[in-house]
Amino acid sequence: MKIAVADLDFELQIPYAQLEKRTKELAKQISEDYEGRSPIIAGILTGSFLFVADLVKNMEIPVEVTFTKLASYFGGTSSSRKIRDDFDLTIDIKGRHLILVEDIVDTGNTLHYLVDKLRVREPASITVCTLLFKPKAIEVSVEELKYVGFEIENEFVVGYGLDYREQGRSLMGIYRRIG
Ligand code: IMP
């Protein structure tokens, strides 16, 4: 089924049932890997807000949840490669285990910028969990990327937090651009 978001057409690629199932698997894996610890889950806004919520609901360990906000797309369908740093983490991460949660890793520039910025605050560790990963789009590899929900082609997607011109974030599934 075709849907319109702003001036573009999209079709369903990953239904919510699959997102839900995979998110539960990731939450279980992270809970096992961090057993006996209480990591900080830092969502990167805006796109990660639904994924963070579903992820932490399924965690079996105590976690702290916080957010930072960065932007790099500015209304288009490809990365501008310029990063706007809208707001910073408010929790002191020194000596803490930090898990950054992204909606999608595309060129890798956003994560590279963020990991570099946070490393100097001396957290005990940094890993990254992303719902979606476009391996063919990567320009800067990020070794902290440990948890990946789905690998997808180098296509523009919306839904489940991801937007096109600030629309489409509330769609309960991932939709890929067609046409
Ligand atoms: P990167 O810095 O190129 O890895 O881009 C990361 C950010 O770009 C993500 O957090 C998204 O906000 C945005 N982005 C990348 N690909 C898409 C997409 O297909 N749809 C919507 N936003 C995207």
Side-chain angles (χ1 to χ4, degrees), residues 42-163:
I44 305 169
L45 292 172
T46 306
S48 73
F49 76 107
L50 291 176
F51 180 46
V52 170
D54 283 345
L55 193 66
V56 299
K57 277 190 275 184
N58 288 289
M59 295 268 200
E60 293 154 13
I61 51 169
V63 292
E64 276 179 57
V65 182
T66 189
F67 290 93
T68 180
K69 188 170 190 302
L70 300 168
S72 67
Y73 258 52
F74 310 117
T77 59
S78 64
S79 173
S80 67
R81 290 172 187 74
K82 288 194 191 79
I83 295 156
R84 195 182 66 211
D85 200 328
D86 285 344
F87 62 76
D88 201 349
L89 295 180
T90 50
I91 294 183
D92 182 9
I93 61 171
K94 187 166 182 171
R96 302 291 307 277
H97 295 286
L98 183 66
I99 304 173
L100 299 173
V101 180
E102 258 286 31
D103 52 354
I104 186 164
V105 178
D106 181 26
T107 64
N109 281 298
T110 304
L111 270 184
H112 184 74
Y113 164 85
L114 188 60
V115 169
D116 265 9
K117 179 175 116 171
L118 298 177
R119 202 182 274 127
V120 296
R121 300 182 196 171
E122 301 176 358
S125 66
I126 304 182
T127 55
V128 176
C129 173
T130 186
L131 178 68
L132 304 173
F133 177 41
K134 295 182 190 171
K136 290 182 183 147
I138 202 83
E139 292 174 5
V140 194
S141 67
V142 181
E143 66 183 42
E144 289 78 4
L145 183 56
K146 184 162 177 202
Y147 305 101
V148 174
F150 299 88
E151 289 194 358
I152 63 169
E153 288 300 311
N154 194 3
E155 294 173 319
F156 186 71
V157 293
V158 294
Y160 192 58
L162 289 101
D163 76 306

